[in-house]
Amino acid sequence: MVATRANTSSSAASGAQEIAPESLLVADFGRGTSRAFLLEQVAGAIRLVARAEGPTTFDLPFDDVSVGWLQTLRQIEWDAGRVLIERDNVLTPQRQRGDGVDAMLACSSLGEPIRIAVIDTGPSPMLAPAITALRKTHVSILQASVPATKKDTTWVPTWAEAIRAYHPDTVVLLLDGEQTFAVPRAIQLLKGISGSISPRRGVIFGEATVLGQTLTLFGSRSKVRSITPSGKTGEAFGAELEAEARGDWAERIDRTDLRAALREVTGTVPTRAHAVDLVTRYIARVSGQSVLTFGIDDGSHAHWASGQEAAQTAFPRLDINAGIVNLTAREVADAVNWLPFDIETDDLMTWVLNRAIRPWAAPEAEVDIRIEQALLRQVIRRVAADLDRTRPGALESADLLIAGAGIDRWHDAAGAALCLLDGLYHVPASGIVGLAIDSDGLLPVVGTLGMTHPAVASDIFQHDTLQHLGSAIVLTSLPKPGEPACRVELQVHGGQKREVTVKAGSLVTLPLASGERATIVARPEKKVSIGASAAGKPVTFGGERPIAGGAAGIIIDARGRQPLPSPAVPRTGLVRQWIEAVRGAAGTTGAERTERA
Amino acid sequence: MSLNFPHTQAVYARDQELRVRRLFPLDTDVKVREGKRVFSDTLLAQVEPRTVAVRVDIPAALGLPPAETAKHLTLPLGSTVTAGQVVAKTRRGIRTATVSSPIAGTLLEVDAETGEVLIAPEGAGQFTALISGDVIEVLGRSELTIRTVGSRVSGIVGIGQPVIGPLRVLTPAADTALSSQSLPADLAGAIVVAGGIVTAAAYRALAAAGVAALVTGSISPREIGAAFDWDDGDHLSSWRPLAGDRRFAPRAKTPFAVMATEGFGTRGMSPELFAVLGGWAGTTVTLFPTTGVTGALMRPELIRTDDSDIDTDALPDEATLTPGAVVRLTDQVRLGQRATVVDRPYRHRFPNGVMTDAIDVDLGTGDRTPVRVVNVEVLLVAPHRDPEFSHDPA
């Protein structure tokens, strides 16, 4: 059955039975790189058959997104051996001769995020839903919470300067908190910035008595609306803000060239972050696991989901490309903790600055790859810490850690596994956590598909999306480095039994391929714990829930999970051992081979 | 993006059509229309001085309520102030606490709400063309493009405001460090070239000499930070783009504009570019140091034009990876390394399994080395297109 744009979108909108397309093209427009995915029915399921990526040409020198996009499409045509474009348009629906596709979908993180300043006056039922809803769109949020105490006299000028420098597109004022000091101070702040910023929108939430004082403080160019608390739920308020932010973003990137590139797209165009959030929830629901996903590509985002609960955080200006300069100097200096060689902090700062001004250069030498991986760990740590604040306990509860395509740019499974593991210093409550990577960048594709073609999304997720790297067993309350911490037995079903004694401070791997079943019995020393288990209590893994193997196998982490030493301490030898331990299980890495080349 | 952003021309573009993009603060009053011929002193745009004024927080510095700022000013509003001049004072016991102006400019007003004093920099809010050419595009109230004909050397990172001045070369070679001891006496208003490392002492000496701009190979973050007291505990903060600002390093403050051709670190200038700038010595050049890597891609650029060439039809020479083109490598381990393109781009599977666009280059050894296309930029187009560089200037 060949679906057309019209019937596909109308069926999705009406909730009618999905008309399954036989082929789809999904576009993922990023600020630096854009990707195209060709999906097609193979043996009764929709599978990924070709993928291409190329530079995004939204900015100068081309200033026309279609230049790079058509080049990417030509590449995918070459790889797939079929015609997809005709007169610079995607052919839809698929022709009898096999050319074209039945439908095209897209997600995007093009353009600068919408800047939103949220000024709140203390606990409000509107605040959390507003922030959660806004994060589904392409926004950066600057949140100023007015202190309830009268003492802090520097608060208003400090935040006035910060908001002036931020140039918000939207100012959201939540004036339903503490009324004696906080609300007057928020109004004072608004007065302080009103002459020097000109936001596109102003949204004021509060009692009618205070609204009158604020409505006139925005300039004549701002669209200002006020909302009183009566009858408005936090979710409804959040949905309104989300719709406005989405509309502002769409308007910001609304250009003839992008409209042309998206001409054949059906359905809405979600942000990458929102698409990954949807798929994280899906994985949690179908697997019954607590899932944590990181996307470090154009900006950074992290998502957690467990059952019906979910949380997410986003840093649209922090990544390891141009956004690398948004790491703090302390975070960069502390990245030395993850390097297997000595480097001066000044040299690391210089490396970061050179990356920021040439964000499209790709690391080729081992030194560059290791530095990039060390800095990536710092980005993950920042994002994870924010998620931990947003949703306490989420990190400890994670059964499965997933990394997006940005974490596999070195084609180094061992490096990716270590980056994921080191990006968190929390201890998984169960004592074990699965590690997986989305090498092809399909998570946003699955999330985008899920909005209109859930069955197709399910096919792609099941067959093509994740590469399991293995699992990590995490030990805590460790003795001195070098002393025995735990004995571990690995019994591969239908295979060999292996035993190993793990010493404190070390990292040991046991091979277990993806798809292999095994049982692991870990017998910690008297004071050592596995996850949240009691000290010294043996734990068996692989009973009710299978253990995930993969390229990195089973990692037994007895290094101690704690915040990084700051300032960094020299431990290059240890880091080298850890890398070698995981690399040994994963086989020869890309870094090694690049070095030889 | 890759290669030669934001133009499709080589790092050194010689005697050809150039497009110069000028960005202004939001809501600027643009004074020219498309089609207008402009010269270096033509006023392009004007902005309300208040929007570019520096705010000095008098209440915080002197411990005063905001409403009392006006009473403690030492000069009437509208006065001209110099950098470091006291603008407000109060008695604290037997001592007098003072606040000085961080910049030279005009005392504009006192913010009634916060008590901060607004000081507009000298000439604040006026943007002149600094170059001859024709305005070919005006985008809203914050951007325009000028077409001109001339030669351009693109940098990779810049600081400060656009300037025009005579070019002076201060170092004998592309990798010679600039000595702070032996600067010529008459550098005021000049755009100076120093190929090798510029130390903190040399930066300070250049500031004392009153240069308009420095063009160098690399910027050492430590040296420039030490020269101008940037150390606020976060060594990256001066370079970090601000949300809402399209420029890289908007908070990096120097008394003169700076452009680096190679990047950050201690690497000397490319010998090819140093040779080009040596040929420009004594001529009037314009430096546009604005750099943008997110939102609006911009590279700093040094431009030399001749008014009599504006009407010539000098089509731009596209920077393509044709055999013979001189490129530099941009991955960090080999950053700045010179190479010559041996063959046209092709798809190549690198040993780590990555399949990507590559070219074969000669790193000076006579051997072919495959490198990723994203890791090269064209310094000079192929010799048959630019006979001046058919030999190796190094």
Side-chain angles (χ1 to χ4, degrees), chain A residues 287 289 399-400 430 432-435 468 470-472 490 493 512-520 540-549 554:
Chain A
S287 69
Q289 291 182 303
D399 301 309
L400 177 62
S430 64
I432 190 166
V433 64
L435 308 169
H468 286 279
S471 298
L490 169 77
H493 296 183
L512 182 67
S514 184
E516 277 188 319
R517 303 288 299 268
T519 305
I520 295 175
T540 301
F541 300 106
E544 290 175 11
R545 178 174 294 166
I547 304 165
I554 304 297

PDB file of all heavy atoms in Angstrom, chain A residues 287 289 399-400 430 432-435 468 470-472 490 493 512-520 540-549 554:
ATOM      1  N   SER A 287      10.272  -1.723  27.724  1.00  0.00           N
ATOM      2  CA  SER A 287      11.274  -2.608  28.339  1.00  0.00           C
ATOM      3  C   SER A 287      11.053  -2.785  29.836  1.00  0.00           C
ATOM      4  O   SER A 287      11.643  -3.663  30.449  1.00  0.00           O
ATOM      5  CB  SER A 287      12.689  -2.045  28.114  1.00  0.00           C
ATOM      6  OG  SER A 287      12.862  -0.858  28.869  1.00  0.00           O
ATOM      7  N   GLN A 289      12.145  -0.840  31.976  1.00  0.00           N
ATOM      8  CA  GLN A 289      13.374  -0.395  32.627  1.00  0.00           C
ATOM      9  C   GLN A 289      13.339   1.106  32.893  1.00  0.00           C
ATOM     10  O   GLN A 289      12.533   1.838  32.324  1.00  0.00           O
ATOM     11  CB  GLN A 289      14.580  -0.705  31.729  1.00  0.00           C
ATOM     12  CG  GLN A 289      14.888  -2.173  31.586  1.00  0.00           C
ATOM     13  CD  GLN A 289      16.126  -2.376  30.732  1.00  0.00           C
ATOM     14  OE1 GLN A 289      16.196  -1.946  29.601  1.00  0.00           O
ATOM     15  NE2 GLN A 289      17.105  -3.059  31.294  1.00  0.00           N
ATOM     16  N   ASP A 399      18.533   1.763  34.682  1.00  0.00           N
ATOM     17  CA  ASP A 399      18.949   0.403  34.336  1.00  0.00           C
ATOM     18  C   ASP A 399      19.714   0.388  33.022  1.00  0.00           C
ATOM     19  O   ASP A 399      20.475  -0.532  32.750  1.00  0.00           O
ATOM     20  CB  ASP A 399      17.717  -0.499  34.156  1.00  0.00           C
ATOM     21  CG  ASP A 399      16.862  -0.550  35.407  1.00  0.00           C
ATOM     22  OD1 ASP A 399      17.430  -0.820  36.482  1.00  0.00           O
ATOM     23  OD2 ASP A 399      15.644  -0.300  35.315  1.00  0.00           O
ATOM     24  N   LEU A 400      19.450   1.393  32.197  1.00  0.00           N
ATOM     25  CA  LEU A 400      20.044   1.411  30.867  1.00  0.00           C
ATOM     26  C   LEU A 400      20.483   2.836  30.524  1.00  0.00           C
ATOM     27  O   LEU A 400      19.686   3.773  30.609  1.00  0.00           O
ATOM     28  CB  LEU A 400      19.004   0.932  29.835  1.00  0.00           C
ATOM     29  CG  LEU A 400      19.418   0.944  28.373  1.00  0.00           C
ATOM     30  CD1 LEU A 400      20.598   0.026  28.119  1.00  0.00           C
ATOM     31  CD2 LEU A 400      18.237   0.540  27.477  1.00  0.00           C
ATOM     32  N   SER A 430      20.563  -0.883  41.510  1.00  0.00           N
ATOM     33  CA  SER A 430      20.542  -2.335  41.325  1.00  0.00           C
ATOM     34  C   SER A 430      21.949  -2.909  41.274  1.00  0.00           C
ATOM     35  O   SER A 430      22.130  -4.127  41.292  1.00  0.00           O
ATOM     36  CB  SER A 430      19.819  -2.664  40.013  1.00  0.00           C
ATOM     37  OG  SER A 430      20.555  -2.128  38.926  1.00  0.00           O
ATOM     38  N   ILE A 432      23.900  -2.770  38.721  1.00  0.00           N
ATOM     39  CA  ILE A 432      24.299  -3.027  37.330  1.00  0.00           C
ATOM     40  C   ILE A 432      23.555  -2.065  36.419  1.00  0.00           C
ATOM     41  O   ILE A 432      22.406  -1.707  36.684  1.00  0.00           O
ATOM     42  CB  ILE A 432      24.018  -4.500  36.934  1.00  0.00           C
ATOM     43  CG1 ILE A 432      24.667  -4.820  35.576  1.00  0.00           C
ATOM     44  CG2 ILE A 432      22.539  -4.811  36.912  1.00  0.00           C
ATOM     45  CD1 ILE A 432      24.719  -6.313  35.284  1.00  0.00           C
ATOM     46  N   VAL A 433      24.228  -1.636  35.377  1.00  0.00           N
ATOM     47  CA  VAL A 433      23.584  -0.745  34.414  1.00  0.00           C
ATOM     48  C   VAL A 433      24.016  -1.144  33.015  1.00  0.00           C
ATOM     49  O   VAL A 433      25.194  -1.455  32.783  1.00  0.00           O
ATOM     50  CB  VAL A 433      23.909   0.732  34.742  1.00  0.00           C
ATOM     51  CG1 VAL A 433      25.393   1.052  34.607  1.00  0.00           C
ATOM     52  CG2 VAL A 433      23.101   1.684  33.872  1.00  0.00           C
ATOM     53  N   GLY A 434      23.059  -1.201  32.113  1.00  0.00           N
ATOM     54  CA  GLY A 434      23.356  -1.536  30.727  1.00  0.00           C
ATOM     55  C   GLY A 434      23.836  -0.297  29.983  1.00  0.00           C
ATOM     56  O   GLY A 434      23.451   0.826  30.304  1.00  0.00           O
ATOM     57  N   LEU A 435      24.705  -0.507  28.999  1.00  0.00           N
ATOM     58  CA  LEU A 435      25.248   0.598  28.211  1.00  0.00           C
ATOM     59  C   LEU A 435      24.934   0.348  26.745  1.00  0.00           C
ATOM     60  O   LEU A 435      25.177  -0.757  26.245  1.00  0.00           O
ATOM     61  CB  LEU A 435      26.764   0.700  28.393  1.00  0.00           C
ATOM     62  CG  LEU A 435      27.294   0.758  29.831  1.00  0.00           C
ATOM     63  CD1 LEU A 435      28.809   0.586  29.838  1.00  0.00           C
ATOM     64  CD2 LEU A 435      26.903   2.069  30.493  1.00  0.00           C
ATOM     65  N   HIS A 468      24.290  -2.558  21.658  1.00  0.00           N
ATOM     66  CA  HIS A 468      24.591  -2.737  23.077  1.00  0.00           C
ATOM     67  C   HIS A 468      26.099  -2.828  23.280  1.00  0.00           C
ATOM     68  O   HIS A 468      26.787  -3.586  22.592  1.00  0.00           O
ATOM     69  CB  HIS A 468      23.880  -3.972  23.633  1.00  0.00           C
ATOM     70  CG  HIS A 468      22.420  -3.730  23.809  1.00  0.00           C
ATOM     71  ND1 HIS A 468      21.927  -3.067  24.900  1.00  0.00           N
ATOM     72  CD2 HIS A 468      21.366  -3.994  23.018  1.00  0.00           C
ATOM     73  CE1 HIS A 468      20.615  -2.938  24.785  1.00  0.00           C
ATOM     74  NE2 HIS A 468      20.247  -3.499  23.643  1.00  0.00           N
ATOM     75  N   GLY A 470      27.396  -3.333  26.395  1.00  0.00           N
ATOM     76  CA  GLY A 470      27.633  -4.245  27.507  1.00  0.00           C
ATOM     77  C   GLY A 470      26.944  -3.751  28.750  1.00  0.00           C
ATOM     78  O   GLY A 470      25.979  -2.977  28.673  1.00  0.00           O
ATOM     79  N   SER A 471      27.435  -4.193  29.900  1.00  0.00           N
ATOM     80  CA  SER A 471      26.853  -3.776  31.184  1.00  0.00           C
ATOM     81  C   SER A 471      27.980  -3.479  32.156  1.00  0.00           C
ATOM     82  O   SER A 471      29.084  -4.018  32.010  1.00  0.00           O
ATOM     83  CB  SER A 471      25.974  -4.888  31.775  1.00  0.00           C
ATOM     84  OG  SER A 471      24.895  -5.165  30.927  1.00  0.00           O
ATOM     85  N   ALA A 472      27.688  -2.629  33.114  1.00  0.00           N
ATOM     86  CA  ALA A 472      28.693  -2.307  34.130  1.00  0.00           C
ATOM     87  C   ALA A 472      28.143  -2.644  35.513  1.00  0.00           C
ATOM     88  O   ALA A 472      27.020  -2.257  35.855  1.00  0.00           O
ATOM     89  CB  ALA A 472      29.063  -0.829  34.062  1.00  0.00           C
ATOM     90  N   LEU A 490      31.373 -15.482  36.138  1.00  0.00           N
ATOM     91  CA  LEU A 490      30.526 -15.288  34.959  1.00  0.00           C
ATOM     92  C   LEU A 490      30.303 -16.641  34.308  1.00  0.00           C
ATOM     93  O   LEU A 490      31.261 -17.308  33.902  1.00  0.00           O
ATOM     94  CB  LEU A 490      31.218 -14.335  33.962  1.00  0.00           C
ATOM     95  CG  LEU A 490      30.577 -14.241  32.580  1.00  0.00           C
ATOM     96  CD1 LEU A 490      29.327 -13.372  32.617  1.00  0.00           C
ATOM     97  CD2 LEU A 490      31.567 -13.667  31.575  1.00  0.00           C
ATOM     98  N   HIS A 493      25.759 -18.949  29.392  1.00  0.00           N
ATOM     99  CA  HIS A 493      24.867 -20.094  29.184  1.00  0.00           C
ATOM    100  C   HIS A 493      25.326 -20.906  27.988  1.00  0.00           C
ATOM    101  O   HIS A 493      25.506 -20.364  26.891  1.00  0.00           O
ATOM    102  CB  HIS A 493      23.427 -19.616  28.975  1.00  0.00           C
ATOM    103  CG  HIS A 493      22.886 -18.929  30.211  1.00  0.00           C
ATOM    104  ND1 HIS A 493      21.610 -18.470  30.297  1.00  0.00           N
ATOM    105  CD2 HIS A 493      23.474 -18.639  31.408  1.00  0.00           C
ATOM    106  CE1 HIS A 493      21.424 -17.909  31.486  1.00  0.00           C
ATOM    107  NE2 HIS A 493      22.541 -18.009  32.175  1.00  0.00           N
ATOM    108  N   LEU A 512      31.422 -10.724  27.034  1.00  0.00           N
ATOM    109  CA  LEU A 512      30.076 -11.271  26.854  1.00  0.00           C
ATOM    110  C   LEU A 512      29.506 -10.579  25.622  1.00  0.00           C
ATOM    111  O   LEU A 512      29.255  -9.363  25.634  1.00  0.00           O
ATOM    112  CB  LEU A 512      29.190 -10.997  28.077  1.00  0.00           C
ATOM    113  CG  LEU A 512      27.776 -11.587  27.988  1.00  0.00           C
ATOM    114  CD1 LEU A 512      27.811 -13.116  28.019  1.00  0.00           C
ATOM    115  CD2 LEU A 512      26.877 -11.074  29.105  1.00  0.00           C
ATOM    116  N   ALA A 513      29.333 -11.340  24.566  1.00  0.00           N
ATOM    117  CA  ALA A 513      28.894 -10.740  23.311  1.00  0.00           C
ATOM    118  C   ALA A 513      27.422 -10.382  23.369  1.00  0.00           C
ATOM    119  O   ALA A 513      26.659 -10.935  24.180  1.00  0.00           O
ATOM    120  CB  ALA A 513      29.162 -11.711  22.166  1.00  0.00           C
ATOM    121  N   SER A 514      27.036  -9.473  22.516  1.00  0.00           N
ATOM    122  CA  SER A 514      25.635  -9.081  22.419  1.00  0.00           C
ATOM    123  C   SER A 514      24.805 -10.294  22.040  1.00  0.00           C
ATOM    124  O   SER A 514      25.171 -11.050  21.133  1.00  0.00           O
ATOM    125  CB  SER A 514      25.500  -7.981  21.365  1.00  0.00           C
ATOM    126  OG  SER A 514      24.192  -7.539  21.315  1.00  0.00           O
ATOM    127  N   GLY A 515      23.724 -10.550  22.752  1.00  0.00           N
ATOM    128  CA  GLY A 515      22.865 -11.697  22.451  1.00  0.00           C
ATOM    129  C   GLY A 515      23.203 -12.921  23.267  1.00  0.00           C
ATOM    130  O   GLY A 515      22.375 -13.826  23.409  1.00  0.00           O
ATOM    131  N   GLU A 516      24.405 -12.982  23.847  1.00  0.00           N
ATOM    132  CA  GLU A 516      24.754 -14.118  24.707  1.00  0.00           C
ATOM    133  C   GLU A 516      24.039 -13.976  26.043  1.00  0.00           C
ATOM    134  O   GLU A 516      23.875 -12.858  26.547  1.00  0.00           O
ATOM    135  CB  GLU A 516      26.274 -14.166  24.956  1.00  0.00           C
ATOM    136  CG  GLU A 516      27.047 -14.851  23.834  1.00  0.00           C
ATOM    137  CD  GLU A 516      28.516 -15.062  24.195  1.00  0.00           C
ATOM    138  OE1 GLU A 516      29.132 -14.163  24.796  1.00  0.00           O
ATOM    139  OE2 GLU A 516      29.042 -16.123  23.887  1.00  0.00           O
ATOM    140  N   ARG A 517      23.629 -15.083  26.624  1.00  0.00           N
ATOM    141  CA  ARG A 517      22.988 -15.072  27.946  1.00  0.00           C
ATOM    142  C   ARG A 517      24.005 -15.534  28.969  1.00  0.00           C
ATOM    143  O   ARG A 517      24.848 -16.393  28.696  1.00  0.00           O
ATOM    144  CB  ARG A 517      21.772 -16.021  27.974  1.00  0.00           C
ATOM    145  CG  ARG A 517      20.708 -15.716  26.925  1.00  0.00           C
ATOM    146  CD  ARG A 517      19.954 -14.443  27.273  1.00  0.00           C
ATOM    147  NE  ARG A 517      19.269 -14.556  28.548  1.00  0.00           N
ATOM    148  CZ  ARG A 517      18.000 -14.963  28.677  1.00  0.00           C
ATOM    149  NH1 ARG A 517      17.303 -15.301  27.613  1.00  0.00           N
ATOM    150  NH2 ARG A 517      17.425 -15.021  29.865  1.00  0.00           N
ATOM    151  N   ALA A 518      23.927 -14.975  30.162  1.00  0.00           N
ATOM    152  CA  ALA A 518      24.897 -15.353  31.198  1.00  0.00           C
ATOM    153  C   ALA A 518      24.312 -15.106  32.577  1.00  0.00           C
ATOM    154  O   ALA A 518      23.325 -14.374  32.741  1.00  0.00           O
ATOM    155  CB  ALA A 518      26.177 -14.544  31.025  1.00  0.00           C
ATOM    156  N   THR A 519      24.916 -15.738  33.555  1.00  0.00           N
ATOM    157  CA  THR A 519      24.596 -15.456  34.954  1.00  0.00           C
ATOM    158  C   THR A 519      25.884 -14.987  35.614  1.00  0.00           C
ATOM    159  O   THR A 519      26.950 -15.566  35.378  1.00  0.00           O
ATOM    160  CB  THR A 519      24.087 -16.730  35.674  1.00  0.00           C
ATOM    161  OG1 THR A 519      22.985 -17.233  34.934  1.00  0.00           O
ATOM    162  CG2 THR A 519      23.665 -16.434  37.094  1.00  0.00           C
ATOM    163  N   ILE A 520      25.760 -13.938  36.414  1.00  0.00           N
ATOM    164  CA  ILE A 520      26.939 -13.422  37.106  1.00  0.00           C
ATOM    165  C   ILE A 520      26.664 -13.456  38.607  1.00  0.00           C
ATOM    166  O   ILE A 520      25.612 -12.994  39.063  1.00  0.00           O
ATOM    167  CB  ILE A 520      27.244 -11.968  36.685  1.00  0.00           C
ATOM    168  CG1 ILE A 520      27.620 -11.917  35.204  1.00  0.00           C
ATOM    169  CG2 ILE A 520      28.367 -11.371  37.525  1.00  0.00           C
ATOM    170  CD1 ILE A 520      27.808 -10.523  34.671  1.00  0.00           C
ATOM    171  N   THR A 540      23.375 -11.841  42.602  1.00  0.00           N
ATOM    172  CA  THR A 540      23.351 -12.619  41.360  1.00  0.00           C
ATOM    173  C   THR A 540      22.615 -11.815  40.289  1.00  0.00           C
ATOM    174  O   THR A 540      21.514 -11.326  40.522  1.00  0.00           O
ATOM    175  CB  THR A 540      22.634 -13.969  41.586  1.00  0.00           C
ATOM    176  OG1 THR A 540      23.339 -14.673  42.611  1.00  0.00           O
ATOM    177  CG2 THR A 540      22.614 -14.797  40.303  1.00  0.00           C
ATOM    178  N   PHE A 541      23.252 -11.686  39.141  1.00  0.00           N
ATOM    179  CA  PHE A 541      22.637 -10.991  38.019  1.00  0.00           C
ATOM    180  C   PHE A 541      22.358 -12.008  36.910  1.00  0.00           C
ATOM    181  O   PHE A 541      23.116 -12.947  36.719  1.00  0.00           O
ATOM    182  CB  PHE A 541      23.581  -9.919  37.455  1.00  0.00           C
ATOM    183  CG  PHE A 541      23.966  -8.861  38.453  1.00  0.00           C
ATOM    184  CD1 PHE A 541      25.240  -8.852  39.007  1.00  0.00           C
ATOM    185  CD2 PHE A 541      23.071  -7.883  38.835  1.00  0.00           C
ATOM    186  CE1 PHE A 541      25.619  -7.884  39.914  1.00  0.00           C
ATOM    187  CE2 PHE A 541      23.436  -6.906  39.749  1.00  0.00           C
ATOM    188  CZ  PHE A 541      24.710  -6.906  40.298  1.00  0.00           C
ATOM    189  N   GLY A 542      21.274 -11.749  36.189  1.00  0.00           N
ATOM    190  CA  GLY A 542      20.976 -12.620  35.048  1.00  0.00           C
ATOM    191  C   GLY A 542      19.868 -13.593  35.330  1.00  0.00           C
ATOM    192  O   GLY A 542      19.609 -14.488  34.526  1.00  0.00           O
ATOM    193  N   GLY A 543      19.194 -13.414  36.448  1.00  0.00           N
ATOM    194  CA  GLY A 543      18.083 -14.284  36.770  1.00  0.00           C
ATOM    195  C   GLY A 543      16.838 -13.864  36.003  1.00  0.00           C
ATOM    196  O   GLY A 543      16.590 -14.314  34.889  1.00  0.00           O
ATOM    197  N   GLU A 544      16.069 -12.975  36.635  1.00  0.00           N
ATOM    198  CA  GLU A 544      14.814 -12.542  36.003  1.00  0.00           C
ATOM    199  C   GLU A 544      15.072 -11.693  34.759  1.00  0.00           C
ATOM    200  O   GLU A 544      14.386 -11.805  33.756  1.00  0.00           O
ATOM    201  CB  GLU A 544      13.994 -11.713  36.999  1.00  0.00           C
ATOM    202  CG  GLU A 544      13.427 -12.535  38.132  1.00  0.00           C
ATOM    203  CD  GLU A 544      12.725 -11.657  39.156  1.00  0.00           C
ATOM    204  OE1 GLU A 544      12.510 -10.467  38.874  1.00  0.00           O
ATOM    205  OE2 GLU A 544      12.425 -12.178  40.238  1.00  0.00           O
ATOM    206  N   ARG A 545      16.059 -10.800  34.865  1.00  0.00           N
ATOM    207  CA  ARG A 545      16.318  -9.906  33.735  1.00  0.00           C
ATOM    208  C   ARG A 545      17.659 -10.259  33.101  1.00  0.00           C
ATOM    209  O   ARG A 545      18.676 -10.275  33.783  1.00  0.00           O
ATOM    210  CB  ARG A 545      16.334  -8.468  34.234  1.00  0.00           C
ATOM    211  CG  ARG A 545      16.633  -7.464  33.150  1.00  0.00           C
ATOM    212  CD  ARG A 545      16.488  -6.059  33.641  1.00  0.00           C
ATOM    213  NE  ARG A 545      15.117  -5.752  33.968  1.00  0.00           N
ATOM    214  CZ  ARG A 545      14.742  -4.689  34.674  1.00  0.00           C
ATOM    215  NH1 ARG A 545      15.656  -3.873  35.163  1.00  0.00           N
ATOM    216  NH2 ARG A 545      13.485  -4.463  34.921  1.00  0.00           N
ATOM    217  N   PRO A 546      17.669 -10.534  31.810  1.00  0.00           N
ATOM    218  CA  PRO A 546      18.933 -10.915  31.172  1.00  0.00           C
ATOM    219  C   PRO A 546      19.965  -9.783  31.259  1.00  0.00           C
ATOM    220  O   PRO A 546      19.612  -8.616  31.255  1.00  0.00           O
ATOM    221  CB  PRO A 546      18.543 -11.153  29.711  1.00  0.00           C
ATOM    222  CG  PRO A 546      17.068 -11.185  29.672  1.00  0.00           C
ATOM    223  CD  PRO A 546      16.561 -10.476  30.862  1.00  0.00           C
ATOM    224  N   ILE A 547      21.216 -10.177  31.345  1.00  0.00           N
ATOM    225  CA  ILE A 547      22.286  -9.182  31.348  1.00  0.00           C
ATOM    226  C   ILE A 547      22.627  -8.864  29.896  1.00  0.00           C
ATOM    227  O   ILE A 547      22.746  -9.770  29.074  1.00  0.00           O
ATOM    228  CB  ILE A 547      23.555  -9.757  32.017  1.00  0.00           C
ATOM    229  CG1 ILE A 547      23.231 -10.241  33.411  1.00  0.00           C
ATOM    230  CG2 ILE A 547      24.668  -8.737  32.064  1.00  0.00           C
ATOM    231  CD1 ILE A 547      24.310 -11.136  33.971  1.00  0.00           C
ATOM    232  N   ALA A 548      22.785  -7.565  29.628  1.00  0.00           N
ATOM    233  CA  ALA A 548      23.130  -7.180  28.257  1.00  0.00           C
ATOM    234  C   ALA A 548      24.633  -7.271  28.058  1.00  0.00           C
ATOM    235  O   ALA A 548      25.404  -6.642  28.777  1.00  0.00           O
ATOM    236  CB  ALA A 548      22.639  -5.764  27.986  1.00  0.00           C
ATOM    237  N   GLY A 549      25.048  -8.074  27.081  1.00  0.00           N
ATOM    238  CA  GLY A 549      26.448  -8.082  26.689  1.00  0.00           C
ATOM    239  C   GLY A 549      26.654  -7.107  25.544  1.00  0.00           C
ATOM    240  O   GLY A 549      25.740  -6.363  25.181  1.00  0.00           O
ATOM    241  N   ILE A 554      31.240  -7.231  29.995  1.00  0.00           N
ATOM    242  CA  ILE A 554      30.801  -6.867  31.340  1.00  0.00           C
ATOM    243  C   ILE A 554      31.945  -6.110  32.015  1.00  0.00           C
ATOM    244  O   ILE A 554      33.047  -6.640  32.180  1.00  0.00           O
ATOM    245  CB  ILE A 554      30.455  -8.116  32.177  1.00  0.00           C
ATOM    246  CG1 ILE A 554      29.395  -8.958  31.454  1.00  0.00           C
ATOM    247  CG2 ILE A 554      29.992  -7.728  33.578  1.00  0.00           C
ATOM    248  CD1 ILE A 554      28.062  -8.280  31.256  1.00  0.00           C
TER     249      ILE A 554
END
